[in-house]
Every structure is written in structure tokens, then in C-alpha cells.
Amino acid sequence: TEERGRVSARDEVDLHGLTVEEALARVDVVIDAALLADRSEVRLIHGRSGGRIRGALHRRLKGISSVRAFHLDPRNPGVTIVML
């Protein structure tokens, strides 16, 4: 859960309403927390029309060595599934 700016490892994170910079910062924290919690997957909700966030997010994920793979959820293109 998220309380007063702290982020703990969760299976999914909603990035709606954030700027690109805020979304990328949130994703960095969430991936770190997920790795510490030994999670193998994180779902990042950017929305179907989240082109700017989705594009920046995918570029960032390509540069993170602990990210094994990622893809859009075939049932919901507004979600990126990240395998750690």
C-alpha cells in the first residue's frame, strides 16, 4: 500500500494523473521495492491513451538490468506487465 509518499511492493501500480517525470520516479521506487520483496512481476497501469508515459516507461524499462522482459497486457493495452 501507499501511505504518505511511501511505496511498498505491490503487484500493480496506477500511473494515471502523473507527469512523465513523476511516473518514471514512481516506477523506479516500485521496481526496487518489488525486487526487495522478491516479486517476479509488476503491472504498471498507464492507460490506453497514455502514449507519453507508456513510451517513456518502455524506454526506461529497457535500461534497467533487473527487468527481464516487459510487454503490454494482451487483454488490456493500458497496462504494461514487467517481469523481474
Side-chain angles (χ1 to χ4, degrees):
T1 59
E2 192 173 334
E3 296 175 18
R4 298 181 189 249
R6 290 187 325 194
V7 179
S8 63
R10 293 181 295 182
D11 294 331
E12 70 181 32
V13 178
D14 191 341
L15 303 174
H16 283 107
L18 301 178
T19 66
V20 170
E21 294 77 18
E22 290 168 340
L24 293 177
R26 173 85 47 93
V27 167
D28 289 344
V29 170
V30 166
I31 287 176
D32 286 345
L35 289 167
L36 289 172
D38 203 28
R39 298 231 196 273
S40 60
E41 179 179 298
V42 175
R43 295 170 53 84
L44 305 174
I45 305 167
H46 42 69
R48 292 181 188 156
S49 62
R52 288 184 58 221
I53 287 181
R54 183 180 60 228
L57 173 65
H58 287 188
R59 284 190 297 277
R60 172 67 58 91
L61 292 172
K62 288 177 185 174
I64 300 175
S65 61
S66 54
V67 172
R68 293 185 306 128
F70 64 89
H71 63 275
L72 290 177
D73 184 336
R75 294 175 309 213
N76 182 351
V79 176
T80 293
I81 300 172
V82 182
M83 280 70 70
L84 303 170

